[in-house]
Amino acid sequence: MALIVQKYGGTSVGTTERIKNVASKVCASREAGNDVVVVVSAMSGETNRLIGLAKDVNPKTPARELDVLLSTGEQVTIALLTMALEQLGCPARCYTGAQVRILTDSAHSKARIQDIDAEVIGNDLKQGRVVVVAGFQGVDETGAITTLGRGGSDTTAVALAAALGADECQIFTDVDGVYTTDPRVVSKARRLERITFEEMLEMASLGSKVLQIRAVEFAGKYKVPLRVLSSFKEGPGTLITFEDDDMEEPLISGIAFSRDEAKLTVLGCPDKPGIAWSILGPISEANIEVDMIVQNISNDGLTDFTFTVHRNDYDRALEILERTAKDMGAREVYGDTKIIKLSLVGVGMRSHAGVASLMFRSLADEGINIQMISTSEIKISVVVDEKYLELGVRALHTAFDLDDENGTATVEGS
Amino acid sequence: MALIVQKYGGTSVGTTERIKNVASKVCASREAGNDVVVVVSAMSGETNRLIGLAKDVNPKTPARELDVLLSTGEQVTIALLTMALEQLGCPARCYTGAQVRILTDSAHSKARIQDIDAEVIGNDLKQGRVVVVAGFQGVDETGAITTLGRGGSDTTAVALAAALGADECQIFTDVDGVYTTDPRVVSKARRLERITFEEMLEMASLGSKVLQIRAVEFAGKYKVPLRVLSSFKEGPGTLITFEDDDMEEPLISGIAFSRDEAKLTVLGCPDKPGIAWSILGPISEANIEVDMIVQNISNDGLTDFTFTVHRNDYDRALEILERTAKDMGAREVYGDTKIIKLSLVGVGMRSHAGVASLMFRSLADEGINIQMISTSEIKISVVVDEKYLELGVRALHTAFDLDDENGTATVEGS
């Protein structure tokens, strides 16, 4: 008998029909002999509906009250799922975040889990009940309702799995696993049987939105085996696992990409110690996150400095940068929002030379100009013109032998 | 400076526009120097929407989970109203029933309040905040969410007013006070400046649905002055007060009526001790509430026994009664759902003879046959054919000098 934590997202519980479908899957897992704890999100559309109401009464949507409002979304789902389970003859009990008690800090709308009292859930499991818990929400020490931020239900599931010592945390979603790349871009994308936590982190941070990145970090930290499965289709999904030396590791696990990039360059800065700080300090003070950073070799005492930010932050970053550039006597500021980032991810590349060169050659063969390059232990990223997204992803997918020759991937249910 | 508890029902908070309107009224009361605690219901329509979802997944709608589900309705309203107050620059804080802590028994869907911890609210008031509390809901000793049943927000408001020692509990609704009778039936119905608790109880129990009867009982028990006002129209409303000897009391405060009645008669029962019990025992065992009871004088050892029940219970009551009648050898069972009940209510009638005879004469003058009569200290009720409802109410309203000669009553906002 295993203890399984299952998490179903908003699309999976988007209608009462789908909630009944989830109830059947939960029952089946219990009847297979497992103890089951289920974490659910708000029904799809509900969170946006509530935010709309909030903006109507107060465009500033105060965070404390927004948490009180949004947390009702999951509360509706836990009640409905528990009713559906009882209708199937499966004894169940439901709890809000405050009830189980998922203790968080007081950072409304982006709270972090500090502690979970596993006793209540443990007692229910002992009595043969399925336990249904509201995702995304918790309570701070003063008793105020908090939320973990969008997608936080994944984090709730992983945190519960860690607190309960669960054998597996299963994240049910509208895709049937983690793919070598987005199947909507590359029809030959292949579902991975396994992926390591590090690779998953890189894939998630690069825009493969199967799992929330915080949840993956959490799972890695507490060694919770995670599995991504489809709510709508039978199948083993993808197991996210710890690196295993016995595993025959593929060189590259996948190709990730991000469309949300924008690039800013200061041309002709005086090359003095501290220029990186002079340029990036004001950006970070404005709470703008910087992703890639490249500084070219100095030429005649002048250098060019380039970095990327999220496209939503581009206008603000440009305004700040123009002021900085003027202060430091740089020649010109140049920006570009028509770029994307392509990345190869794979723990295998640690021990393999030649990955970078194969990547650059494949892109060159397609006439794709590389604007920026950045590397980490298990990832190589390049920035290219946005028009090359599909071409670049497909070229790399084929070059690194990721194509599935047997069939065409499909994404269902969203 | 006074401490005021205000309660706004579902219609008053039915849209974000109306919530903003409520926020203005609350702010105005605070700016007039009052400490204000606000109790709100779910936005109109929300409770029915949630019940619809529940029935979709489980037609039996388990009570424990239904409470988890329905309590989200008020939670949405408290968050939105608090945001609207902050938008107006009015500091405010909101709490669910569990948070303030409204402790109830564990009778899901019809829980009774046992205790309220006034400390949290007291601290917020001291810091100059308006406190917004979710009506209708509480929490039992195990931490499970409970609800007080429909209309329970009135009870929450009165209970809070009692716990806080409030100077007045103001119930804002879609009518601007308590009327001498339903203005939709008698256009000359008059708003009462004051009514006693006893009269209000009789009016409420007889179908004048301005206030929930439990709330009135509660207010009477804890001596909380209650005021009924309109959310949509300025005005002093109606104060529900303790009997005051100085008050110049009108003979009759109002005419109440109920359309939900059904009458059952057993003809020709053997007149033996215990027949009332034989007949009503099985009815009460089936949890059917009996209202009026009349037993005629015995004739040749046989008697007729008549009682009324809520129209919804008529079919079940008739089935039970037919079995009982057979067992006891009664001649016949007769039922009638085409009846209504008319009642005169007024503490004044205690000390005035002649009220009953004026009532009966007025009805006789209109050719209305009285089928049953029942009396209490401050009420006389008669059962008549349902076709006489309007005629009967108007005749009594005029006969007892209740008509407003100055204008025509209107009911707004629903």
Side-chain angles (χ1 to χ4, degrees):
Chain A
M1 196 176 78
L3 172 53
I4 307 287
V5 175
Q6 299 190 331
K7 181 261 172 177
Y8 294 89
T11 313
S12 306
V13 295
T15 63
T16 49
E17 272 317 303
R18 287 186 172 183
I19 288 171
K20 288 193 255 185
N21 173 52
V22 166
S24 305
K25 290 179 97 74
V26 172
C27 271
S29 183
R30 182 172 168 272
E31 276 160 22
N34 297 312
D35 278 343
V36 187
V37 175
V38 189
V39 174
V40 286
S41 303
M43 295 169 79
S44 54
E46 181 64 4
T47 302
N48 286 334
R49 182 183 78 88
L50 293 169
I51 290 174
L53 291 174
K55 285 198 189 299
D56 267 5
V57 298
N58 187 335
K60 291 190 294 288
T61 59
R64 184 189 175 91
E65 284 77 33
L66 195 61
D67 281 358
V68 174
L69 184 70
L70 296 186
S71 63
T72 63
E74 293 78 34
Q75 192 171 326
V76 166
T77 317
I78 59 170
L80 292 175
L81 178 58
T82 307
M83 288 181 190
L85 285 166
E86 290 181 355
Q87 172 74 4
L88 295 177
C90 174
R93 201 50 60 97
C94 65
Y95 297 99
T96 64
Q99 286 177 319
V100 260
R101 172 178 193 245
I102 297 178
L103 184 71
T104 72
D105 59 25
S106 302
H108 287 286
S109 85
K110 47 176 190 283
R112 293 198 163 252
I113 297 176
Q114 292 179 330
D115 192 33
I116 293 182
D117 180 359
E119 198 187 321
V120 177
I121 296 177
N123 286 343
D124 277 321
L125 291 176
K126 259 182 231 149
Q127 290 174 57
R129 295 190 187 113
V130 167
V131 178
V132 180
V133 179
F136 169 75
Q137 59 184 247
V139 66
D140 75 4
E141 270 185 336
T142 71
I145 294 170
T146 56
T147 69
L148 312 180
R150 281 211 155 185
S153 293
D154 287 352
T155 307
T156 304
V158 172
L160 273 173
L164 295 165
D167 297 288
E168 194 167 290
C169 179
Q170 302 177 336
I171 309 286
F172 287 81
T173 173
D174 50 358
V175 295
D176 66 348
V178 180
Y179 275 73
T180 48
T181 193
D182 187 337
R184 284 167 297 197
V185 172
V186 180
S187 63
K188 288 177 179 167
R190 214 164 19 86
R191 182 177 57 77
L192 296 162
E193 289 288 330
R194 297 174 155 230
I195 185 171
T196 69
F197 274 97
E198 291 162 294
E199 289 169 327
M200 190 64 211
L201 273 177
E202 292 287 6
M203 295 289 272
S205 67
L206 292 166
S208 295
K209 301 209 180 68
V210 177
L211 283 176
Q212 208 213 5
I213 192 161
R214 269 172 64 197
V216 180
E217 284 172 359
F218 218 96
K221 186 170 167 192
Y222 291 97
K223 304 270 180 210
V224 175
L226 262 187
R227 187 181 292 277
V228 175
L229 308 99
S230 166
S231 305
F232 304 104
K233 194 164 132 180
E234 290 298 316
T238 298
L239 183 66
I240 299 154
T241 177
F242 312 99
E243 203 173 338
D244 181 346
D245 293 335
D246 293 343
M247 255 171 78
E248 193 181 333
E249 269 170 17
L251 194 57
I252 296 297
S253 288
I255 317 288
F257 56 87
S258 160
R259 299 178 209 264
D260 301 324
E261 306 282 318
K263 189 177 75 168
L264 293 135
T265 302
V266 194
L267 296 168
C269 319
D271 190 5
K272 292 184 297 194
I275 74 147
W277 172 243
S278 316
I279 292 171
L280 296 180
I283 299 286
S284 95
E285 271 163 36
N287 275 317
I288 298 173
E289 267 187 52
V290 171
D291 180 14
M292 289 167 74
I293 302 169
V294 173
Q295 182 176 352
N296 285 3
I297 286 171
S298 181
N299 188 4
D300 293 337
L302 294 177
T303 186
D304 302 335
F305 190 93
T306 302
F307 59 94
T308 61
V309 297
H310 193 284
R311 218 171 270 188
N312 291 345
D313 294 327
Y314 174 74
D315 289 340
R316 275 199 308 143
L318 185 63
E319 197 189 313
I320 293 165
L321 193 60
E322 275 169 346
R323 245 178 294 139
T324 313
K326 204 172 152 194
D327 291 350
M328 66 197 300
R331 196 173 73 234
E332 193 185 344
V333 167
Y334 169 80
D336 186 358
T337 59
K338 296 189 182 309
I339 58 159
I340 53 114
K341 185 166 69 169
L342 299 180
S343 306
L344 287 186
V345 176
V347 289
M349 72 170 72
R350 277 182 193 153
S351 48
H352 286 79
V355 170
S357 62
L358 175 56
M359 180 181 194
F360 302 154
R361 201 184 69 210
S362 313
L363 296 174
D365 283 349
E366 301 291 344
I368 300 172
N369 185 43
I370 297 171
Q371 302 180 12
M372 292 173 80
I373 298 172
S374 131
T375 59
S376 80
E377 278 226 322
I378 64 163
K379 182 192 68 175
I380 307 175
S381 298
V382 297
V383 165
V384 301
D385 189 302
E386 65 176 5
K387 73 182 172 192
Y388 294 127
L389 189 144
E390 289 80 6
L391 183 64
V393 174
R394 281 181 209 136
L396 295 176
H397 203 264
T398 303
F400 285 91
D401 280 333
L402 296 171
D403 290 355
D404 180 6
E405 299 301 340
N406 300 320
T408 298
T410 53
V411 179
E412 288 194 19
S414 51
Chain B
M1 196 178 79
L3 172 54
I4 307 287
V5 174
Q6 298 190 332
K7 181 261 170 177
Y8 294 89
T11 313
S12 306
V13 295
T15 63
T16 49
E17 272 316 304
R18 287 187 172 182
I19 288 172
K20 289 193 256 185
N21 173 53
V22 166
S24 305
K25 291 180 95 76
V26 171
C27 271
S29 183
R30 181 170 168 273
E31 276 160 23
N34 297 312
D35 279 342
V36 187
V37 175
V38 189
V39 174
V40 286
S41 303
M43 294 168 80
S44 53
E46 181 64 3
T47 302
N48 286 333
R49 183 182 78 86
L50 293 169
I51 290 174
L53 290 174
K55 285 197 189 301
D56 267 4
V57 298
N58 187 336
K60 291 190 294 288
T61 60
R64 184 187 175 92
E65 285 77 33
L66 195 62
D67 281 358
V68 174
L69 184 71
L70 295 186
S71 63
T72 63
E74 293 78 34
Q75 192 170 328
V76 166
T77 317
I78 59 169
L80 293 175
L81 178 58
T82 307
M83 289 181 189
L85 285 166
E86 290 181 354
Q87 172 75 2
L88 295 176
C90 174
R93 202 47 62 95
C94 65
Y95 297 99
T96 63
Q99 286 177 316
V100 261
R101 175 179 192 245
I102 297 177
L103 184 72
T104 71
D105 59 25
S106 302
H108 287 286
S109 87
K110 47 177 191 283
R112 293 199 162 252
I113 297 177
Q114 292 178 331
D115 192 32
I116 293 182
D117 180 359
E119 199 186 322
V120 177
I121 296 177
N123 287 342
D124 277 321
L125 291 175
K126 259 182 230 147
Q127 291 176 57
R129 293 190 188 115
V130 166
V131 179
V132 180
V133 179
F136 170 74
Q137 57 183 248
V139 67
D140 74 4
E141 270 184 337
T142 71
I145 295 170
T146 55
T147 69
L148 311 180
R150 282 212 155 183
S153 293
D154 287 353
T155 307
T156 304
V158 172
L160 273 173
L164 295 165
D167 297 288
E168 196 167 289
C169 180
Q170 301 177 338
I171 309 287
F172 287 81
T173 173
D174 51 357
V175 295
D176 66 348
V178 179
Y179 275 73
T180 49
T181 193
D182 186 337
R184 285 168 296 195
V185 171
V186 180
S187 62
K188 288 176 179 169
R190 214 163 20 85
R191 182 176 57 76
L192 296 161
E193 290 286 329
R194 297 174 155 231
I195 185 170
T196 68
F197 274 97
E198 290 163 294
E199 289 169 328
M200 190 64 210
L201 273 177
E202 292 288 5
M203 295 288 274
S205 66
L206 291 165
S208 296
K209 302 212 178 67
V210 176
L211 283 176
Q212 208 213 2
I213 192 161
R214 270 171 63 196
V216 180
E217 284 172 359
F218 218 96
K221 186 169 168 192
Y222 292 98
K223 304 271 179 210
V224 176
L226 261 186
R227 186 181 292 277
V228 176
L229 310 98
S230 166
S231 304
F232 305 102
K233 193 164 131 180
E234 290 298 315
T238 298
L239 182 66
I240 299 154
T241 177
F242 311 97
E243 201 173 340
D244 180 348
D245 292 335
D246 295 341
M247 256 171 77
E248 193 181 332
E249 268 170 16
L251 193 57
I252 296 296
S253 288
I255 317 288
F257 56 86
S258 161
R259 297 179 210 265
D260 302 323
E261 307 283 317
K263 190 177 74 170
L264 294 135
T265 302
V266 193
L267 296 168
C269 319
D271 191 5
K272 293 183 297 198
I275 73 146
W277 172 243
S278 315
I279 292 171
L280 296 180
I283 299 287
S284 95
E285 272 162 35
N287 275 318
I288 298 173
E289 268 186 53
V290 171
D291 180 16
M292 289 167 74
I293 302 169
V294 174
Q295 183 177 348
N296 284 4
I297 286 170
S298 181
N299 187 3
D300 293 336
L302 295 177
T303 186
D304 302 335
F305 190 96
T306 301
F307 58 95
T308 62
V309 297
H310 193 284
R311 218 172 270 188
N312 292 344
D313 294 325
Y314 174 74
D315 289 339
R316 276 199 306 143
L318 185 63
E319 197 189 313
I320 293 165
L321 193 59
E322 275 169 346
R323 244 178 292 139
T324 314
K326 204 172 154 194
D327 290 350
M328 66 199 297
R331 196 172 72 233
E332 193 185 345
V333 168
Y334 169 80
D336 186 358
T337 59
K338 296 190 182 310
I339 59 160
I340 52 115
K341 185 166 68 169
L342 298 179
S343 306
L344 287 185
V345 176
V347 290
M349 72 171 71
R350 275 183 194 152
S351 48
H352 286 80
V355 169
S357 63
L358 175 56
M359 181 182 193
F360 302 154
R361 201 184 68 211
S362 311
L363 295 174
D365 283 350
E366 300 290 346
I368 299 172
N369 185 43
I370 298 171
Q371 303 180 11
M372 291 173 81
I373 298 172
S374 130
T375 61
S376 80
E377 279 225 321
I378 65 163
K379 181 192 68 175
I380 307 175
S381 298
V382 298
V383 165
V384 301
D385 189 303
E386 66 176 4
K387 74 183 171 190
Y388 294 126
L389 189 146
E390 290 80 5
L391 183 64
V393 173
R394 281 180 209 136
L396 295 175
H397 204 264
T398 304
F400 285 91
D401 280 332
L402 296 171
D403 291 354
D404 179 7
E405 299 303 338
N406 301 319
T408 298
T410 53
V411 179
E412 286 193 21
S414 52

